[in-house]
Amino acid sequence: MARKNVVVKIISGLRTYAEQDALYAKGRTTAGPKVTNARAGYSNHNFGTAWDIGLFKSGLYLADSPLYKEVGEISRSLGLNWGGDWKSFVDTPHIELDR
């Protein structure tokens, strides 16, 4: 990604159960769109084996970019799971280890 002048940053890693439940509530019992299908204890974020990334170019955050697919391909080549491959909830900034 550096060859494309894109900086990859981890923007969310380990989460407490309370943080995960607050995210799960979004779009259900609190305002906003759904951002996860995982309740506390069912997210790899709760165990330190998942992270969400942000892509930045010229200091600007790329919220939706085809470059996430490239990061997904790199992640798979390293034996990691990429949220862009999920069927029920596609999460392109998400990368995780199997546990």
Side-chain angles (χ1 to χ4, degrees):
M1 299 312 296
R3 281 185 245 136
K4 295 182 181 211
N5 295 318
V6 173
V7 175
V8 180
K9 295 182 181 182
I10 295 174
I11 58 175
S12 180
L14 181 64
R15 294 184 191 140
T16 66
Y17 277 39
E19 289 169 326
Q20 188 65 36
D21 275 339
L23 289 174
Y24 183 79
K26 286 187 176 185
R28 293 178 176 86
T29 58
T30 63
K34 290 181 181 178
V35 295
T36 183
N37 278 344
R39 293 176 185 259
Y42 293 92
S43 170
N44 282 341
H45 284 281
N46 293 137
F47 307 100
T49 59
W51 52 96
D52 295 328
I53 61 162
L55 302 181
F56 298 82
K57 189 164 189 164
S58 300
L60 298 174
Y61 175 56
L62 306 176
D64 291 313
S65 170
L67 293 171
Y68 283 95
K69 184 175 181 183
E70 291 186 43
V71 173
E73 292 167 2
I74 294 166
S75 299
R76 280 195 302 273
S77 76
L78 297 171
L80 302 169
N81 295 325
W82 177 53
D85 290 329
W86 296 347
K87 303 300 181 224
S88 65
F89 187 84
V90 177
D91 189 2
T92 57
H94 182 92
I95 302 166
E96 65 181 25
L97 296 168
D98 274 329
R99 48 174 191 118

